[in-house]
Amino acid sequence: MELFRNANYDFLGRKWLFMGGSVILLLVGLVSLGLRAGSWRLWQGVPLGVDFKGGTLVYVKFSHPPNEDKIRADMQAAGLSNARIQRYGAPGNNEVIIALEQRATTEEALDQGKLAIIQALGQDAPAGKLDLNNTGTRALQDRLLARDPLRAGSDAAARYAEIAKSITDYRDQERGGVLSSVEELKGRVDAAVLQTLQEEFFVSDFGVRNVEIVGAQVGAQLRRQALLATLYSLAGMLIYIAVRFEPVYGAAAVVAVFHDTLITVGAFSVANKEISLTVIAAILTLVGYSMNDTIVIFDRVRENLKLMRRAPLAEVMNRSINQTLSRTILTSGLTFLTVLSLYLFGGEVLNGFSFALVVGILVGTYSSFGIAAPLVVLYYERKAQKEGRGPVAVAGEGSKREREKIRAKA
């Protein structure tokens, strides 16, 4: 399918416009990272998630749409000023993740993280009563057993264990972890038990659904592995393109991919989104996607070098970009629509992953013809100037050895 017939746009003639736009995007990202870091150590401003920093993730479900400002205020009032609040799941589920910097990895730490959130959010809890939405089966059983509303005698422990389990199962499995009132249990438990529940318990507007901990050591290891994975992928692609084309082509492609990655990380900083393991997976996908676009153009350049032997390299590059323009628009456009749908409708869990791809595909597609191709042309222009062959270098007028090498590889 051809979207553009006989396209003849002068991409190389606008190379400074493309590069100027990239410089602005890079500066915006770097300034944002600098402001977050509070110093020139920009890497400290990269918004890493708990996956890499280590900490405690507490998953909380509310009975109504959560007010993030109030949650943040409650956290600060409880001394948890560094807590990060993030919505997740479908909007109607009223769920948030609260990330704490608590990094202990013991079972007690799990309970401490959960207890810290419950105390911060439930500061208006009635004295002496337990929160039915945040009480475990054993604690519920013990409170009923202490009151013994059924006068169960020697069989009391087993009966109240069964009643407590039925209540927590109903709360967690049928009500999504949050009851709206104690009266909601009417008809499910004996009237005497219901009265005891009303006297001993209250119902908050939230329930802690899960607690996860990532240790600092694990976070540091994941951070190192993610960095190595990115560098290894770039090095492998540099070697591949250098062998298949010329070293300068490989260097230009890697510079373009670095450019894509830096702008994507800067976009995360500007949007105040955390970089998690899934985002690293998206960035690695982006590296491959951007490199593939660049290789398609370079492949066409190599073919055209055989047909346009005396044409300036800029003209060959322009012709190659125009010849692949329909393919670029179709593949990148359809991929972009897919990841955009994922970003808009994929929910909070996939938000970071899809955001990286939305930004990356836009920047990666543009950098193939706006950064990588002009860098190759600039290299040969500067080389021709140094050799005294005029200000505009011509691929077909390069050194005999280089022409023979290009033709031999073609």
Side-chain angles (χ1 to χ4, degrees), residues 69-150:
D69 292 336
K70 183 177 185 308
I71 296 173
R72 192 169 288 106
D74 289 340
M75 295 296 112
Q76 290 177 348
L80 303 173
S81 56
N82 293 323
R84 294 180 63 88
I85 295 106
Q86 181 180 358
R87 295 286 296 270
Y88 80 102
N93 288 346
N94 303 328
E95 295 168 310
V96 300
I97 299 174
I98 301 176
L100 306 176
E101 292 190 350
Q102 177 183 322
R103 298 173 184 176
T105 56
T106 62
E107 288 295 327
E108 290 76 11
L110 283 170
D111 291 336
Q112 288 172 5
K114 178 179 178 179
L115 188 61
I117 297 300
I118 292 174
Q119 289 177 341
L121 296 177
Q123 296 179 22
D124 299 329
K129 288 190 174 185
L130 294 180
D131 181 1
L132 196 54
N133 278 334
N134 292 290
T135 298
T137 304
R138 185 56 186 268
L140 181 56
Q141 174 194 348
D142 290 345
R143 186 62 69 100
L144 290 174
L145 187 61
R147 290 287 302 270
D148 192 14
L150 298 178

Side-chain angles (χ1 to χ4, degrees), residues 27 52 90 102 155 165 188 191 196 262 305 307 309 328 372 391:
L27 284 177
F52 298 112
Q102 177 183 322
D155 196 32
K165 186 174 186 309
R188 292 185 171 273
T196 301
L262 288 176
L305 281 174
L307 304 173
R309 295 181 179 181
T328 301

Side-chain angles (χ1 to χ4, degrees), residues 104-382:
T105 56
T106 62
E107 288 295 327
E108 290 76 11
L110 283 170
D111 291 336
Q112 288 172 5
K114 178 179 178 179
L115 188 61
I117 297 300
I118 292 174
Q119 289 177 341
L121 296 177
Q123 296 179 22
D124 299 329
K129 288 190 174 185
L130 294 180
D131 181 1
L132 196 54
N133 278 334
N134 292 290
T135 298
T137 304
R138 185 56 186 268
L140 181 56
Q141 174 194 348
D142 290 345
R143 186 62 69 100
L144 290 174
L145 187 61
R147 290 287 302 270
D148 192 14
L150 298 178
R151 304 292 183 264
S154 59
D155 196 32
R159 290 195 62 182
Y160 291 125
E162 182 181 353
I163 292 172
K165 186 174 186 309
S166 70
I167 291 174
T168 54
D169 283 351
Y170 170 72
R171 179 193 67 192
D172 297 337
Q173 297 174 12
E174 298 185 36
R175 301 300 299 162
V178 181
L179 296 172
S180 57
S181 67
V182 177
E183 285 71 23
E184 196 176 334
L185 298 171
K186 189 175 182 180
R188 292 185 171 273
V189 297
D190 188 274
V193 173
L194 181 64
Q195 182 177 353
T196 301
L197 292 174
Q198 290 171 330
E199 294 171 357
E200 297 289 331
F201 294 86
F202 73 100
V203 172
S204 67
D205 61 350
F206 69 94
V208 174
R209 304 287 291 140
N210 193 21
V211 182
E212 296 177 357
I213 287 183
V214 178
Q217 187 174 357
V218 174
Q221 185 178 358
L222 290 174
R223 193 166 59 241
R224 185 169 55 253
Q225 289 176 339
L227 179 62
L228 289 176
T230 305
L231 293 178
Y232 287 156
S233 66
L234 290 174
M237 292 180 186
L238 173 62
I239 294 171
Y240 169 74
I241 296 180
V243 171
R244 185 170 176 181
F245 299 96
E246 289 283 331
V248 65
Y249 284 74
V254 169
V255 168
V257 171
F258 259 121
H259 155 277
D260 303 341
T261 305
L262 288 176
I263 289 181
T264 304
V265 172
F268 269 80
S269 177
V270 172
N272 195 28
K273 291 179 178 293
E274 290 187 342
I275 295 179
S276 62
L277 281 174
T278 56
V279 172
I280 295 299
I283 289 177
L284 290 175
T285 304
L286 160 66
V287 168
Y289 190 89
S290 175
M291 195 65 78
N292 182 60
D293 259 2
T294 306
I295 288 174
V296 168
I297 293 175
F298 285 173
D299 255 337
R300 187 57 61 93
V301 170
R302 188 171 58 179
E303 294 170 6
N304 285 334
L305 281 174
K306 293 187 293 183
L307 304 173
M308 305 168 64
R309 295 181 179 181
R310 302 198 64 79
L313 181 57
E315 184 180 331
V316 175
M317 201 67 81
N318 255 334
R319 176 75 63 85
S320 304
I321 296 171
N322 279 292
Q323 287 175 341
T324 57
L325 193 58
S326 291
R327 177 261 174 204
T328 301
I329 297 296
L330 282 172
T331 55
S332 298
L334 291 175
T335 310
F336 176 76
L337 289 177
T338 303
V339 297
L340 182 63
S341 299
L342 200 62
Y343 175 67
L344 294 176
F345 308 112
E348 198 64 37
V349 174
L350 294 175
N351 187 269
F353 178 83
S354 53
F355 180 75
L357 288 178
V358 166
V359 175
I361 286 177
L362 284 176
V363 180
T365 302
Y366 141 80
S367 70
S368 298
F369 60 82
I371 301 297
L375 284 178
V376 173
V377 175
L378 284 174
Y379 169 79
Y380 281 110
E381 285 180 347
R382 296 294 172 86

Side-chain angles (χ1 to χ4, degrees), residues 389 395-407:
R389 291 188 286 110
E397 295 176 356
S399 68
K400 182 178 179 182
R401 186 180 63 82
E402 286 177 348
R403 292 204 310 273
E404 289 175 347
K405 193 174 181 181
I406 291 173
R407 288 168 189 162

